[in-house]
Amino acid sequence: MEKKELLYEGKAKKVFTTEDPDVLIVSYKDDATAFNGLKKGTIVGKGAINNRMTNYIFKKLEAKGVPTHLIEELNDRETAVKKVEIVPLEVIIRNFSAGSFAKKMGMEEGVKFSRPTLEFSYKNDDLGDPFINKYYALALELATEEEIDAITRYAFQVNEVMQEYFASLNIELIDFKIEFGRYHGQIVLADEVSPDTCRLWDKDTHEKLDKDRFRRDLGNVEDAYQEVFRRLGIDG
Ligand code: TMP
Ligand code: ASP
């Protein structure tokens, strides 16, 4: 599989076309941004970790019945994926209070919920990804009701699988953001699942092993990504 043309460059990834109109190649960068691109930096080795971690978890999710865009990992940083039309919704699931939830609700971080929450943001950088609900999404025609229902079902299923899996690595899955796409009329999980898009805390020490170390200038950013990767045991 060969890259043809650069189709799109985002904050953390580049996307290339291939000979096959149904296949794209995603290339993960070490670039990191936060606060809608206001803060910029580099997390050395992040691209390879996020690529390999996403593929590893997407395979587990596929095995549990969640369809994904994954076709094949090509190398450390690059993966062939199905060309989907991204549904412009950021789907956020939370198991514990943290981040914008904690701020908005005037709560400390790390309080466990009796059941997970789900929220949507409209994926639109110019508007700063505003918080919306299902009815806004329908009114804005971002997706059909059937699609939103499928996305909601899959999102909670992703949470179940990931929560259990990370627990086996002594990691608490605090919250995460996922995105979905349409592929020949079907909703499939797309984008990535990585320390960029999840809050991952060590279960015993509550040490943050995710991008909050970069967002909040906590130091040891690369170490945190490496630690998650090490616990995944992908290299055997
Ligand atoms: P939040 O608490 O800032 O709303 O973030 C919730 C989760 O979503 C957290 O795991 C980080 C992730 N996230 C992204 O992946 N991309 C983003 O642009 C933002 C704001 C959050
Ligand atoms: N990726 C987002 C950005 O650059 C925000 C974040 O992950 O905090 O702005």
Side-chain angles (χ1 to χ4, degrees):
M1 194 84 55
E2 297 284 321
K3 299 194 286 264
K4 244 172 85 181
E5 281 168 40
L6 180 67
L7 179 65
Y8 170 78
E9 177 158 4
K11 289 183 281 224
K13 298 190 272 309
K14 291 181 189 172
V15 181
F16 296 89
T17 58
T18 67
E19 312 282 69
D20 186 335
D22 264 347
V23 180
L24 298 176
I25 292 176
V26 179
S27 179
Y28 285 73
K29 306 190 285 187
D30 283 355
D31 299 354
T33 65
F35 317 116
N36 202 12
L38 259 139
K39 180 182 174 111
K40 290 190 176 68
T42 302
I43 302 174
V44 176
K46 170 171 93 77
I49 289 174
N50 288 5
N51 179 44
R52 299 190 64 196
M53 174 169 171
T54 296
N55 295 339
Y56 188 72
I57 290 177
F58 276 21
K59 278 184 210 155
K60 286 191 186 294
L61 290 167
E62 287 268 1
K64 299 278 187 179
V66 179
T68 78
H69 72 168
L70 175 64
I71 298 175
E72 186 190 8
E73 188 168 289
L74 301 173
N75 56 53
D76 260 14
R77 274 177 198 277
E78 295 176 337
T79 295
V81 299
K82 294 169 187 159
K83 181 176 182 173
V84 303
E85 182 191 354
I86 289 285
V87 177
L89 290 173
E90 301 204 335
V91 184
I92 296 159
I93 297 264
R94 301 178 193 270
N95 298 306
F96 289 76
S97 64
S100 67
F101 181 99
K103 200 168 172 190
K104 234 185 283 180
M105 299 301 153
M107 240 172 120
E108 60 179 331
E109 295 197 300
V111 178
K112 185 161 196 209
F113 303 142
S114 52
R115 49 184 292 182
T117 67
L118 177 144
E119 74 206 50
F120 297 120
S121 293
Y122 176 24
K123 207 173 134 62
N124 183 319
D125 281 341
D126 294 339
L127 299 176
D129 298 341
F131 189 103
I132 61 169
N133 66 20
K134 174 174 170 175
Y135 300 96
Y136 278 43
L138 289 172
L140 293 168
E141 298 183 358
L142 306 182
T144 66
E145 186 155 26
E146 292 69 31
E147 287 175 334
I148 294 174
D149 291 347
I151 285 170
T152 302
R153 267 197 320 275
Y154 285 143
F156 282 119
Q157 204 182 337
V158 168
N159 187 45
E160 291 292 313
V161 174
M162 291 217 299
Q163 230 185 344
E164 190 183 324
Y165 176 60
F166 281 116
S168 76
L169 310 179
N170 208 41
I171 289 174
E172 200 75 79
L173 177 63
I174 303 297
D175 58 29
F176 61 92
K177 184 269 297 177
I178 47 179
E179 296 180 23
F180 292 86
R182 300 180 184 96
Y183 186 72
H184 297 297
Q186 293 303 308
I187 289 291
V188 305
L189 181 63
D191 196 47
E192 66 178 285
V193 172
S194 72
D196 273 16
T197 61
C198 302
R199 284 197 174 92
L200 305 169
W201 293 7
D202 181 272
K203 259 189 192 270
D204 298 324
T205 65
H206 299 162
E207 188 189 357
K208 293 177 173 48
L209 301 172
D210 57 61
K211 194 175 162 189
D212 271 349
R213 300 205 75 83
F214 169 78
R215 294 188 189 100
R216 302 179 186 187
D217 295 320
L218 300 176
N220 300 329
V221 184
E222 277 89 0
D223 294 345
Y225 281 71
Q226 292 289 350
E227 177 59 19
V228 172
F229 189 67
R230 188 190 66 74
R231 291 195 201 184
L232 290 168
I234 298 178
D235 281 329

